[in-house]
Amino acid sequence: PGLRDRVLSAVRTLEQETAPAHPAPAPRPRRPLLVPLAAGAAVLALVAAVLLGAELTRTQDRLDAQESESREIAHVLAAPDARAARAEGLSVIASAALRDAVITVTDLSAPPPGRDHQLWLMSASAPPRSLGVLPDQGSDTPLLATDLTSGSSSLAVTTEPDGGSQSPTSAPLVQLALESVGFGE
C-alpha cells in the first residue's frame, strides 16, 4: 500500500528529460572523397582532349596549305616555258603559260624596328598588288605569285609599316623587270 506513495514521491524529485521537438535526422551516408576528384579529373581530361584536337586540326590545315603551295611551286618550276631572272636580292622563275611565278628574296638587310619588307607586283595599267609581307630575315622561303597578266611589269620590295600596307609607301629597295621571264607590257 505505501509503494504507490513512494513511487510518486520519487518521480516528483527526479530530474526529467525533455523529449526533442524534432526527431534527429538520420545520419547521411558519406561519399568517398575519390568520386569528386575522379569527376574533376575527367572534366580536365575532356577539356585537354578538345584543346589538343583543335590544335591538331589547325596544324594539319597549315601543313595541308604548305603542301599545296609546295606542289604549285614545283609545277611552276617544272613548266616547259619556265624562265628565270635575278636582280640584287630578288630571284624569279615564271611561267607565262601558267601565269604564275616563284619568287625568292635574299640578301636584304633587316627592316628597321616597327617596319616590314613587302613584295609588290607592279603593272602600268593597274595599281600595285601586294604579294605579302616577307618572312623574317634569313628565310629564303620561295613565295608563289599567281594570276600574273601580260601587263605585270615588275616585282618590287619596299619597306612598309609593321604588318604591311595597302599600297607602297616608300621607294623600292629592289625591283625586277618581268620582261625577261615572259611578262610585261
Side-chain angles (χ1 to χ4, degrees):
L3 179 64
R4 179 175 183 259
D5 291 333
R6 284 191 306 240
V7 170
L8 289 175
S9 175
V11 167
R12 283 186 217 118
T13 60
L14 289 176
E15 205 173 298
Q16 301 290 314
E17 288 185 22
T18 57
H22 299 292
R28 291 185 188 170
R30 297 185 84 200
R31 289 193 317 177
L33 180 60
L34 294 179
V35 172
L37 290 176
V43 168
L44 288 175
L46 180 62
V47 168
V50 167
L51 293 174
L52 180 61
E55 183 59 31
L56 288 174
T57 300
R58 282 192 297 269
T59 300
Q60 186 62 50
D61 290 346
R62 284 191 304 267
L63 288 173
D64 290 345
Q66 288 173 345
E67 183 180 338
S68 175
E69 186 172 5
S70 293
R71 276 195 303 271
E72 291 178 38
I73 287 171
H75 191 64
V76 171
L77 298 177
D81 70 329
R83 293 169 38 187
R86 179 161 171 71
E88 186 178 331
L90 195 59
S91 300
V92 64
I93 299 173
S95 165
L98 296 175
R99 296 179 41 197
D100 294 339
V102 176
I103 304 152
T104 306
V105 181
T106 57
D107 303 328
L108 284 179
S109 59
R115 310 278 290 173
D116 282 324
H117 290 313
Q118 190 168 353
L119 181 64
W120 301 93
L121 179 64
M122 309 301 260
S123 173
S125 59
R129 182 177 94 190
S130 174
L131 297 178
V133 171
L134 298 178
D136 294 336
Q137 285 308 121
S139 173
D140 56 354
T141 304
L143 304 166
L144 182 66
T146 59
D147 298 323
L148 302 178
T149 65
S150 60
S152 302
S153 59
S154 66
L155 296 168
V157 176
T158 61
T159 302
E160 301 298 332
D162 199 16
S165 301
Q166 295 295 324
S167 60
T169 62
S170 67
L173 298 172
V174 62
Q175 194 159 1
L176 173 68
L178 293 175
E179 252 174 0
S180 59
V181 291
F183 294 94
E185 297 181 326

